[in-house]
Amino acid sequence: QVQLVESGGGPVQSGGSLRLSCKYYGIFYVNDCWAWFRQAPGKERERVAALYKATGSTYYADSEKGRFTISRDSPKSTLYLQMDSLKPEDTALYYCALRRGGNCDTSNPLDFGVWGQGTQVTVSS
């Protein structure tokens, strides 16, 4: 059984930074794809960043390139999302997600079978 637990969200002012963490438990494989998604009220869930375990390749949405960084600390079994230069439009519930194999450069939430409970990020202007 796989479990994902996010933390690190909270209120922050525009231009500030936050680092989200996703602690994971269970059995994992070399071709796993890890991702961060977010969902704002009234909007669809959108992928923010992804990381392919086998190669370390990372993928970002255009609006997050240069501001967000996804990384993984294997000994700590933790996935991170470093968010800098935050904007009010970044306000959302952020989720950690796992896809078992397949194309990691996908933005479709249905491709990911395991999800955390989410952590709220609120950016004030």
Side-chain angles (χ1 to χ4, degrees):
Q1 183 178 357
V2 174
Q3 185 180 10
L4 309 178
V5 181
E6 301 97 333
S7 62
V12 63
Q13 290 193 331
S14 182
S17 298
L18 277 177
R19 188 177 76 160
L20 305 183
S21 299
C22 173
K23 180 77 172 176
Y24 48 85
Y25 305 87
I27 299 175
F28 301 93
Y29 303 97
V30 66
N31 60 346
D32 284 339
C33 173
W34 295 93
W36 287 96
F37 282 77
R38 67 185 180 189
Q39 188 166 20
K43 294 188 176 181
E44 294 185 350
R45 192 168 296 191
E46 61 175 355
R47 193 202 72 185
V48 172
L51 183 151
Y52 184 48
K53 180 179 176 181
T55 62
S57 298
T58 55
Y59 309 91
Y60 297 94
D62 288 341
S63 59
E64 277 68 62
K65 284 181 180 178
R67 297 193 304 125
F68 291 5
T69 303
I70 187 173
S71 62
R72 190 175 67 92
D73 187 329
S74 182
K76 294 185 178 179
S77 298
T78 303
L79 181 75
Y80 298 103
L81 182 68
Q82 176 67 41
M83 304 187 295
D84 299 317
S85 302
L86 283 163
K87 307 172 183 179
E89 50 264 45
D90 294 319
T91 295
L93 190 59
Y94 283 71
Y95 297 91
C96 174
L98 171 69
R99 182 183 191 190
R100 297 289 199 185
N103 179 22
C104 194
D105 190 14
T106 173
S107 301
N108 188 350
L110 297 177
D111 290 334
F112 292 79
V114 184
W115 294 83
Q117 82 289 350
T119 185
Q120 178 67 38
V121 172
T122 302
V123 185
S124 59
S125 56

